């Protein structure tokens, strides 16, 4: 059953055929499932990202075993293996071997999607608008990072005796706020341009910066497996310098980028030039011991001041639509939700941990609403609820932590439930909280700024 | 020096870091080199695709050894291995191992680029315009396919004693016409909307269809390594039926696609829906024994009649700009042009073959100009020269033939020189041929139709 002996019986062209069928087939399954569930979520008034996650769960290790990262060591769907084996004239066992061997290229595509998504998030950060609500947004963001992180980590260690390192990671995964989901719900309800809306968006951007810095530190520390003050300080410093340089460059380097871009004449120049900056930032971040993901976000920040920002966003969006979907579906597919089955008594402890994380995740962010510094009448509950959805950022944490092999299966599932729960509840609770309030007219936009 | 023993000394996180650095770094090198040379080509009035090819040659096995497909078995650039080894704290030998192991994901991206490019080519095929110049375009296309194919294959077998199978493949690679390059040169000179221009574009589209069918047959036959009438007929039939069904569906299925698309609400629906059709066509083509590339082209044809065609094109273009570039650079990088060094007497025979292919490639297409059926005064030389550039389509042949392991190194290099030569000479000769002729005014466009 070893790989080489199996594949020696198969011709080169047959291997090519199986590879192509598997790669095309996996994309098809991913896109069809993700799209079907995303459409369902849109119709339920829920974020589409929930659909992509659930799609992954349905076709992954918890469900149909169609999309199965080799690391999870489960049996692939026999029907799929037989179908593709028949087309190419090879045995199902050989198909399974080629499946595992060709899976890394799907994971590489998912990573490309992650970088493209963070690049887009950085590009969409309106630094100027952020400065306008700066003081309030900063206190809200800080409280919303510190409370869930401290309560989550401490609770996991003290109440549930989780080892320090996974506990820190789980705590870190609760710091994030999903700009995309918050912005879309506020926009839909007509509250995006209110002072509350602007503050939440500003705080979400800051959360992303804090969160990605924390992530970079946590993942780098995972390499050593110990928590000691020296390396932490060094990494925090490196991350702070890196983000500081990126913010500085977003003021200073964008004109140079525009100057170069204006002189390029071969077609496709906008997307390629954008990707070169993206690649450079990812490379530097990874080379100095941080995460390439931080580099992708920084690249977006740097180019957010370019006069070609809109064109770059336009050309990155199709990549995000395709490859970030692959990223989210792969996360869902690798999670074994059967460890959360409440009918199995062994799972009760894990379920309690999941419930604890969810409560801390909600309470920590809602409390952040009350840290809002303002003498004007403010709907603090709306601010807090707006900070609640973890969405894609929480998932990025989960994906990287699970890649780094830090988390136990029940803790992974608990984090996923926390992310799903907050992302699912935020739009519902926000609609409830705002149901008594009349949607503001357009004029409040100027008033807010 | 074996792979597992080397990597056992290295931590998981270090492997991740090296992988990320290599993947990001390879994209950076590819984009920077391709872009620099594409910009040079634009300024010289030459097609940008030549720049991408030459970039590949410069950074590949002929040049700097930065981008090196594992199949070519050459030493990687020591400076690059040392740089990345230093960043991650691993030995250069371990970096080389991870380089080879992670290369398939770059090749998968290149294949994605190839499919996206053929999808776009199909999308841009104006079936109605094609019908208007149909009769003339068909005779020109047929002559331009049959002459180079027959002369090339026969000459290689009879004069140079090349085995039948590689000879057929080389002959097939000479049938193509690059729509993109021809259209851009005609457009630049203001001749796109003349009768000659329209006919050449129409013939180029037909050439693509003939060429991709021939390709599908040749590659499928490569699996068996024998040329016998039965399987050839069967494959030609399958390919003809496949293209016929695609042409039929482009009339009938596009409305159904539009109906579905109009009902989708989750963002990114256009690009994802387009990719689902692309994936389905690729899967079916590959599953019935043809090439997935033919499926990609067919998917484009099917959707070319959709009312969302422009939006799909818009969202596919960034993917082509990024990943088709990877495809062309990888082709250039895998070719060892030192086998064409004229200073080495051993290479003389290969050079004579290259010269022969180039002459047949030019003469065959120029002769096609005289097969133009028209009583009106026609610039037959312009039609023939317009059919000359092989461009990306010739390279797709070369790439797939080289993947299938059909071609010897000198024959590969000879085909590359033929593709480069025709692509390089066509714009220059066209400008010469048109220099005496006044550029037509806009009115000729209507006259042409």
């Amino acid at each position: 059953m070893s790989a080489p002996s199996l594949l020696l019986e198969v011709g080169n062209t047959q291997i090519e055929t199986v590879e192509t069928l598997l790669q095309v087939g996996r994309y098809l399954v991913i896109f069809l499932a993700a799209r079907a569930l995303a459409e369902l979520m849109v119709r339920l008034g829920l974020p589409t990202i929930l659909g992509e996650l659930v799609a992954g769960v349905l076709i992954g290790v918890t469900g149909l075993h169609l999309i199965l990262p080799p690391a999870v060591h489960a049996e692939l769907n026999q029907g799929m293996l037989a179908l593709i084996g028949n087309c190419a004239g090879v045995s199902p066992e050989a198909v399974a071997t080629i499946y595992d061997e060709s899976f890394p290229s799907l994971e590489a595509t998912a990573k490309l999607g992650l970088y493209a998504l963070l690049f887009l998030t950085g590009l969409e950060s309106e630094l100027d608008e952020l400065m306008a609500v700066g003081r309030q947004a900063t206190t809200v963001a800080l409280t919303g990072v510190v409370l869930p992180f401290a309560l989550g980590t401490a609770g996991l260690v003290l109440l549930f005796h989780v080892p320090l390192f996974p506990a820190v990671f789980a705590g870190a995964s609760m710091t994030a706020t999903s700009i995309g989901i918050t912005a879309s719900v506020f926009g839909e309800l007509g509250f995006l341009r209110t002072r509350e809306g602007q503050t939440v968006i500003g705080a979400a951007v800051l959360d992303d910066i804090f969160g990605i810095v924390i992530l970079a530190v946590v993942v780098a520390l995972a390499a050593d497996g110990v928590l000691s003050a020296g390396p932490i300080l060094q990494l925090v410093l490196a991350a702070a310098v890196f983000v500081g340089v990126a913010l500085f460059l977003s003021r200073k380097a964008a004109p140079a980028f525009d100057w170069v871009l204006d002189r390029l004449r071969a077609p496709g120049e906008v997307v390629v030039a954008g990707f070169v900056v993206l690649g450079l930032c990812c490379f530097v971040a990874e080379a100095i011991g941080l995460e390439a993901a931080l580099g992708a976000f920084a690249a977006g920040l740097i180019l957010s001041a370019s006069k070609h920002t809109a064109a770059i966003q336009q050309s990155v969006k199709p990549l995000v639509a395709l490859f970030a979907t692959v990223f989210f579906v792969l996360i869902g597919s690798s999670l074994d939700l059967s460890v959360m089955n409440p009918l199995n008594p062994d799972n009760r402890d894990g379920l309690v941990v999941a419930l604890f994380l969810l409560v801390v995740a909600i309470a920590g962010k809602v409390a952040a609403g009350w840290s809002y510094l303002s003498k004007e009448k403010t709907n603090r509950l709306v601010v807090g609820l707006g900070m609640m959805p973890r969405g894609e950022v929480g998932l990025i944490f989960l994906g990287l932590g699970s890649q780094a092999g830090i988390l136990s299966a029940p803790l992974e599932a608990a984090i996923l439930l926390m992310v799903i729960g907050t992302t699912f509840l935020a739009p519902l609770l926000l609609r409830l909280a705002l149901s008594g309030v009349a949607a503001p007219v357009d004029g409040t936009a100027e008033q807010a700024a």
Side-chain angles (χ1 to χ4, degrees), chain A:
Chain A
M1 270 295 265
S2 78
S5 72
L6 247 176
L7 291 185
L8 276 179
E9 301 157 20
V10 179
N12 252 331
T13 326
Q14 283 170 306
I15 296 180
E16 284 275 323
T17 303
V18 172
E19 254 180 29
T20 305
L21 287 176
L22 283 174
Q23 300 205 332
V24 173
R26 280 188 299 229
Y27 280 118
L28 268 178
V29 168
I30 289 174
F31 289 141
L32 285 173
R35 185 60 24 184
L37 279 139
E39 290 295 326
L40 181 67
M41 294 298 161
V42 167
R43 279 159 181 75
L44 297 174
L46 291 169
T48 54
I49 195 177
L50 279 180
E52 300 181 345
L53 261 188
V54 176
V57 170
L58 291 181
I59 60 180
V61 61
T62 310
L64 296 175
H65 287 214
L66 290 169
I67 301 295
L68 216 51
V72 304
H73 295 297
E75 288 263 310
L76 280 159
N77 187 300
Q78 290 300 319
M80 171 183 68
L81 295 181
L83 169 73
I84 290 181
N86 277 341
C87 287
V90 305
S91 69
E93 290 77 27
V95 176
T97 306
I98 301 173
Y99 187 103
D100 284 356
E101 281 180 2
S102 63
F103 204 84
S105 70
L106 189 64
E107 288 170 328
T109 315
K111 219 160 193 179
L112 204 67
L114 166 65
Y115 299 156
L117 177 67
L118 286 166
F119 183 49
L120 189 62
T121 309
L123 278 173
E124 286 174 345
S125 302
E126 299 271 356
L127 283 179
D128 292 325
E129 288 193 21
L130 199 63
M131 297 298 170
V133 290
R135 208 164 51 97
Q136 289 96 327
T138 308
T139 58
V140 171
L142 272 178
T143 321
V145 164
V146 170
L147 274 187
F149 181 61
L151 289 177
T153 308
L156 284 175
V157 171
L158 299 178
L159 301 179
F160 300 100
H161 313 291
V162 172
L164 185 59
F165 206 74
V168 168
F169 199 91
S173 73
M174 296 203 287
T175 60
T177 298
S178 164
I179 302 178
I181 291 167
T182 297
S184 74
V185 176
F186 274 33
E188 190 191 316
L189 298 172
F191 272 82
L192 192 57
R193 302 260 119 204
T194 63
R195 204 155 36 83
E196 288 90 346
Q198 287 295 299
T199 306
V200 171
I201 298 299
V205 173
L206 284 174
D207 261 14
D208 271 4
I209 298 179
F210 295 148
I212 290 173
V213 169
I214 295 176
L215 178 71
V217 173
V218 173
V219 171
L221 289 174
D224 307 328
V226 285
L227 285 176
S228 56
I232 295 184
L233 271 178
Q234 198 180 328
L235 276 168
V236 169
L237 201 68
V241 169
F242 189 80
V243 170
V245 169
L247 285 172
F248 174 78
L249 284 178
S250 79
R251 297 286 176 199
K252 303 293 176 188
F257 175 81
D258 289 342
W259 186 89
V260 172
L261 200 49
D262 288 340
R263 266 145 201 84
L264 295 181
R265 292 194 225 151
E269 76 282 7
V270 171
V271 60
V272 173
F275 262 72
V276 166
V277 173
L278 172 61
L280 282 173
C281 290
C282 288
F283 194 91
V284 170
E286 188 82 29
I288 64 174
L290 301 169
E291 267 292 296
L294 177 60
F297 183 74
L301 275 186
I302 291 175
L303 296 188
S304 67
S306 158
K307 63 180 182 186
H308 299 283
T309 302
I312 301 174
Q313 284 182 22
Q314 206 54 42
S315 61
V316 175
K317 274 180 184 166
L319 290 157
V320 172
L322 293 172
F323 302 137
T325 299
V326 175
F327 180 77
F328 293 127
V329 171
L330 282 196
I331 289 176
S333 75
S334 66
L335 292 171
D336 189 356
L337 284 200
S338 68
V339 299
M340 286 286 147
N341 180 355
L343 299 179
N344 183 342
D346 293 348
N347 295 340
R348 300 277 151 83
D349 291 351
L351 278 172
V352 175
V353 171
L355 198 65
F356 167 77
L357 288 186
L358 185 59
V359 169
V360 169
I362 295 174
K365 292 288 186 184
V366 169
W370 268 264
S371 70
Y372 192 115
L373 300 172
S374 170
K375 281 163 195 159
E376 297 172 60
K377 187 171 167 296
T378 305
N379 194 332
R380 293 171 189 277
L381 182 61
V382 167
V383 172
L385 291 176
M387 300 287 292
M388 206 174 95
R390 300 309 192 272
E392 70 281 7
V393 194
L395 288 180
I396 291 170
F397 272 71
L398 180 56
L400 292 172
S402 128
Q403 252 177 33
I406 304 173
L407 305 165
S408 66
L411 194 55
E412 261 184 35
I415 295 177
L416 180 72
L417 288 186
M418 180 275 294
V419 172
I420 290 185
T422 54
T423 309
F424 182 83
L425 288 174
L428 301 180
L429 295 179
L430 262 178
R431 280 206 196 87
L432 271 181
L434 289 169
S435 62
V437 191
V441 290
D442 274 2
T444 47
E446 281 74 38
Q447 195 189 320

PDB file of all heavy atoms in Angstrom, chain A residues 358-378:
ATOM      1  N   LEU A 358     -17.758  31.163  24.104  1.00  0.00           N
ATOM      2  CA  LEU A 358     -18.790  31.963  23.450  1.00  0.00           C
ATOM      3  C   LEU A 358     -19.262  33.086  24.368  1.00  0.00           C
ATOM      4  O   LEU A 358     -19.378  34.243  23.948  1.00  0.00           O
ATOM      5  CB  LEU A 358     -19.968  31.058  23.060  1.00  0.00           C
ATOM      6  CG  LEU A 358     -21.085  31.718  22.249  1.00  0.00           C
ATOM      7  CD1 LEU A 358     -20.552  32.288  20.951  1.00  0.00           C
ATOM      8  CD2 LEU A 358     -22.217  30.742  21.965  1.00  0.00           C
ATOM      9  N   VAL A 359     -19.491  32.750  25.654  1.00  0.00           N
ATOM     10  CA  VAL A 359     -19.975  33.764  26.600  1.00  0.00           C
ATOM     11  C   VAL A 359     -18.927  34.856  26.783  1.00  0.00           C
ATOM     12  O   VAL A 359     -19.229  36.056  26.722  1.00  0.00           O
ATOM     13  CB  VAL A 359     -20.327  33.103  27.951  1.00  0.00           C
ATOM     14  CG1 VAL A 359     -20.580  34.166  29.011  1.00  0.00           C
ATOM     15  CG2 VAL A 359     -21.542  32.201  27.781  1.00  0.00           C
ATOM     16  N   VAL A 360     -17.652  34.467  26.967  1.00  0.00           N
ATOM     17  CA  VAL A 360     -16.591  35.463  27.142  1.00  0.00           C
ATOM     18  C   VAL A 360     -16.445  36.315  25.878  1.00  0.00           C
ATOM     19  O   VAL A 360     -16.274  37.534  25.948  1.00  0.00           O
ATOM     20  CB  VAL A 360     -15.254  34.768  27.476  1.00  0.00           C
ATOM     21  CG1 VAL A 360     -14.105  35.755  27.405  1.00  0.00           C
ATOM     22  CG2 VAL A 360     -15.320  34.126  28.853  1.00  0.00           C
ATOM     23  N   ALA A 361     -16.556  35.662  24.723  1.00  0.00           N
ATOM     24  CA  ALA A 361     -16.403  36.382  23.461  1.00  0.00           C
ATOM     25  C   ALA A 361     -17.474  37.449  23.301  1.00  0.00           C
ATOM     26  O   ALA A 361     -17.206  38.559  22.836  1.00  0.00           O
ATOM     27  CB  ALA A 361     -16.443  35.398  22.285  1.00  0.00           C
ATOM     28  N   ILE A 362     -18.706  37.106  23.737  1.00  0.00           N
ATOM     29  CA  ILE A 362     -19.796  38.078  23.619  1.00  0.00           C
ATOM     30  C   ILE A 362     -19.662  39.155  24.696  1.00  0.00           C
ATOM     31  O   ILE A 362     -19.669  40.358  24.404  1.00  0.00           O
ATOM     32  CB  ILE A 362     -21.168  37.378  23.729  1.00  0.00           C
ATOM     33  CG1 ILE A 362     -21.358  36.428  22.529  1.00  0.00           C
ATOM     34  CG2 ILE A 362     -22.295  38.392  23.786  1.00  0.00           C
ATOM     35  CD1 ILE A 362     -22.612  35.585  22.604  1.00  0.00           C
ATOM     36  N   ALA A 363     -19.480  38.716  25.940  1.00  0.00           N
ATOM     37  CA  ALA A 363     -19.438  39.671  27.055  1.00  0.00           C
ATOM     38  C   ALA A 363     -18.272  40.642  26.896  1.00  0.00           C
ATOM     39  O   ALA A 363     -18.415  41.852  27.124  1.00  0.00           O
ATOM     40  CB  ALA A 363     -19.327  38.903  28.380  1.00  0.00           C
ATOM     41  N   GLY A 364     -17.109  40.126  26.482  1.00  0.00           N
ATOM     42  CA  GLY A 364     -15.928  40.988  26.366  1.00  0.00           C
ATOM     43  C   GLY A 364     -16.137  42.114  25.383  1.00  0.00           C
ATOM     44  O   GLY A 364     -15.745  43.259  25.638  1.00  0.00           O
ATOM     45  N   LYS A 365     -16.767  41.799  24.242  1.00  0.00           N
ATOM     46  CA  LYS A 365     -16.951  42.834  23.229  1.00  0.00           C
ATOM     47  C   LYS A 365     -18.089  43.788  23.593  1.00  0.00           C
ATOM     48  O   LYS A 365     -18.014  44.992  23.352  1.00  0.00           O
ATOM     49  CB  LYS A 365     -17.205  42.206  21.859  1.00  0.00           C
ATOM     50  CG  LYS A 365     -16.008  41.475  21.266  1.00  0.00           C
ATOM     51  CD  LYS A 365     -14.906  42.429  20.780  1.00  0.00           C
ATOM     52  CE  LYS A 365     -13.812  41.645  20.058  1.00  0.00           C
ATOM     53  NZ  LYS A 365     -12.681  42.479  19.647  1.00  0.00           N
ATOM     54  N   VAL A 366     -19.173  43.221  24.173  1.00  0.00           N
ATOM     55  CA  VAL A 366     -20.283  44.100  24.555  1.00  0.00           C
ATOM     56  C   VAL A 366     -19.808  45.086  25.625  1.00  0.00           C
ATOM     57  O   VAL A 366     -20.122  46.281  25.587  1.00  0.00           O
ATOM     58  CB  VAL A 366     -21.491  43.273  25.056  1.00  0.00           C
ATOM     59  CG1 VAL A 366     -22.533  44.176  25.689  1.00  0.00           C
ATOM     60  CG2 VAL A 366     -22.116  42.496  23.891  1.00  0.00           C
ATOM     61  N   ALA A 367     -18.984  44.602  26.562  1.00  0.00           N
ATOM     62  CA  ALA A 367     -18.429  45.484  27.596  1.00  0.00           C
ATOM     63  C   ALA A 367     -17.593  46.591  26.973  1.00  0.00           C
ATOM     64  O   ALA A 367     -17.553  47.724  27.474  1.00  0.00           O
ATOM     65  CB  ALA A 367     -17.584  44.669  28.576  1.00  0.00           C
ATOM     66  N   ALA A 368     -16.938  46.286  25.847  1.00  0.00           N
ATOM     67  CA  ALA A 368     -16.114  47.303  25.186  1.00  0.00           C
ATOM     68  C   ALA A 368     -16.964  48.505  24.777  1.00  0.00           C
ATOM     69  O   ALA A 368     -16.470  49.637  24.737  1.00  0.00           O
ATOM     70  CB  ALA A 368     -15.422  46.706  23.957  1.00  0.00           C
ATOM     71  N   GLY A 369     -18.260  48.259  24.508  1.00  0.00           N
ATOM     72  CA  GLY A 369     -19.146  49.370  24.155  1.00  0.00           C
ATOM     73  C   GLY A 369     -19.228  50.401  25.268  1.00  0.00           C
ATOM     74  O   GLY A 369     -19.362  51.604  25.014  1.00  0.00           O
ATOM     75  N   TRP A 370     -19.114  49.949  26.515  1.00  0.00           N
ATOM     76  CA  TRP A 370     -19.214  50.876  27.645  1.00  0.00           C
ATOM     77  C   TRP A 370     -17.904  51.617  27.928  1.00  0.00           C
ATOM     78  O   TRP A 370     -17.862  52.477  28.777  1.00  0.00           O
ATOM     79  CB  TRP A 370     -19.725  50.147  28.886  1.00  0.00           C
ATOM     80  CG  TRP A 370     -21.214  50.247  28.962  1.00  0.00           C
ATOM     81  CD1 TRP A 370     -21.925  51.161  29.687  1.00  0.00           C
ATOM     82  CD2 TRP A 370     -22.170  49.451  28.261  1.00  0.00           C
ATOM     83  NE1 TRP A 370     -23.269  50.991  29.475  1.00  0.00           N
ATOM     84  CE2 TRP A 370     -23.457  49.947  28.607  1.00  0.00           C
ATOM     85  CE3 TRP A 370     -22.098  48.394  27.372  1.00  0.00           C
ATOM     86  CZ2 TRP A 370     -24.634  49.410  28.090  1.00  0.00           C
ATOM     87  CZ3 TRP A 370     -23.267  47.869  26.866  1.00  0.00           C
ATOM     88  CH2 TRP A 370     -24.511  48.369  27.223  1.00  0.00           C
ATOM     89  N   SER A 371     -16.852  51.253  27.180  1.00  0.00           N
ATOM     90  CA  SER A 371     -15.597  51.988  27.336  1.00  0.00           C
ATOM     91  C   SER A 371     -15.545  53.169  26.379  1.00  0.00           C
ATOM     92  O   SER A 371     -14.554  53.875  26.299  1.00  0.00           O
ATOM     93  CB  SER A 371     -14.411  51.055  27.069  1.00  0.00           C
ATOM     94  OG  SER A 371     -14.346  50.726  25.701  1.00  0.00           O
ATOM     95  N   TYR A 372     -16.626  53.379  25.652  1.00  0.00           N
ATOM     96  CA  TYR A 372     -16.723  54.458  24.674  1.00  0.00           C
ATOM     97  C   TYR A 372     -16.672  55.794  25.407  1.00  0.00           C
ATOM     98  O   TYR A 372     -17.517  56.080  26.258  1.00  0.00           O
ATOM     99  CB  TYR A 372     -18.064  54.301  23.961  1.00  0.00           C
ATOM    100  CG  TYR A 372     -18.260  55.134  22.731  1.00  0.00           C
ATOM    101  CD1 TYR A 372     -18.405  54.533  21.478  1.00  0.00           C
ATOM    102  CD2 TYR A 372     -18.343  56.515  22.793  1.00  0.00           C
ATOM    103  CE1 TYR A 372     -18.612  55.282  20.342  1.00  0.00           C
ATOM    104  CE2 TYR A 372     -18.550  57.271  21.660  1.00  0.00           C
ATOM    105  CZ  TYR A 372     -18.682  56.653  20.437  1.00  0.00           C
ATOM    106  OH  TYR A 372     -18.897  57.404  19.321  1.00  0.00           O
ATOM    107  N   LEU A 373     -15.681  56.625  25.096  1.00  0.00           N
ATOM    108  CA  LEU A 373     -15.516  57.916  25.760  1.00  0.00           C
ATOM    109  C   LEU A 373     -16.254  58.989  24.983  1.00  0.00           C
ATOM    110  O   LEU A 373     -15.786  59.440  23.941  1.00  0.00           O
ATOM    111  CB  LEU A 373     -14.037  58.297  25.828  1.00  0.00           C
ATOM    112  CG  LEU A 373     -13.107  57.353  26.587  1.00  0.00           C
ATOM    113  CD1 LEU A 373     -11.672  57.782  26.392  1.00  0.00           C
ATOM    114  CD2 LEU A 373     -13.487  57.348  28.055  1.00  0.00           C
ATOM    115  N   SER A 374     -17.413  59.419  25.486  1.00  0.00           N
ATOM    116  CA  SER A 374     -18.144  60.454  24.771  1.00  0.00           C
ATOM    117  C   SER A 374     -19.142  61.084  25.728  1.00  0.00           C
ATOM    118  O   SER A 374     -19.728  60.401  26.568  1.00  0.00           O
ATOM    119  CB  SER A 374     -18.866  59.839  23.569  1.00  0.00           C
ATOM    120  OG  SER A 374     -19.746  60.792  23.017  1.00  0.00           O
ATOM    121  N   LYS A 375     -19.333  62.407  25.589  1.00  0.00           N
ATOM    122  CA  LYS A 375     -20.328  63.048  26.427  1.00  0.00           C
ATOM    123  C   LYS A 375     -21.697  63.030  25.762  1.00  0.00           C
ATOM    124  O   LYS A 375     -22.714  63.270  26.394  1.00  0.00           O
ATOM    125  CB  LYS A 375     -19.904  64.492  26.731  1.00  0.00           C
ATOM    126  CG  LYS A 375     -18.855  64.545  27.838  1.00  0.00           C
ATOM    127  CD  LYS A 375     -18.127  65.874  27.864  1.00  0.00           C
ATOM    128  CE  LYS A 375     -16.876  65.764  28.699  1.00  0.00           C
ATOM    129  NZ  LYS A 375     -15.897  66.816  28.380  1.00  0.00           N
ATOM    130  N   GLU A 376     -21.715  62.771  24.462  1.00  0.00           N
ATOM    131  CA  GLU A 376     -22.996  62.732  23.761  1.00  0.00           C
ATOM    132  C   GLU A 376     -23.722  61.428  24.052  1.00  0.00           C
ATOM    133  O   GLU A 376     -23.106  60.441  24.460  1.00  0.00           O
ATOM    134  CB  GLU A 376     -22.767  62.859  22.244  1.00  0.00           C
ATOM    135  CG  GLU A 376     -22.148  64.193  21.865  1.00  0.00           C
ATOM    136  CD  GLU A 376     -21.746  64.221  20.408  1.00  0.00           C
ATOM    137  OE1 GLU A 376     -22.634  64.056  19.561  1.00  0.00           O
ATOM    138  OE2 GLU A 376     -20.556  64.403  20.113  1.00  0.00           O
ATOM    139  N   LYS A 377     -25.037  61.454  23.825  1.00  0.00           N
ATOM    140  CA  LYS A 377     -25.837  60.259  24.015  1.00  0.00           C
ATOM    141  C   LYS A 377     -25.418  59.207  22.978  1.00  0.00           C
ATOM    142  O   LYS A 377     -25.422  59.468  21.784  1.00  0.00           O
ATOM    143  CB  LYS A 377     -27.319  60.625  23.832  1.00  0.00           C
ATOM    144  CG  LYS A 377     -28.268  59.499  24.172  1.00  0.00           C
ATOM    145  CD  LYS A 377     -29.708  60.024  24.186  1.00  0.00           C
ATOM    146  CE  LYS A 377     -30.698  58.880  24.213  1.00  0.00           C
ATOM    147  NZ  LYS A 377     -30.656  58.031  22.997  1.00  0.00           N
ATOM    148  N   THR A 378     -25.039  58.041  23.464  1.00  0.00           N
ATOM    149  CA  THR A 378     -24.515  57.020  22.558  1.00  0.00           C
ATOM    150  C   THR A 378     -25.201  55.695  22.838  1.00  0.00           C
ATOM    151  O   THR A 378     -25.442  55.355  23.996  1.00  0.00           O
ATOM    152  CB  THR A 378     -23.000  56.849  22.790  1.00  0.00           C
ATOM    153  OG1 THR A 378     -22.386  58.118  22.646  1.00  0.00           O
ATOM    154  CG2 THR A 378     -22.405  55.875  21.803  1.00  0.00           C
TER     155      THR A 378
END
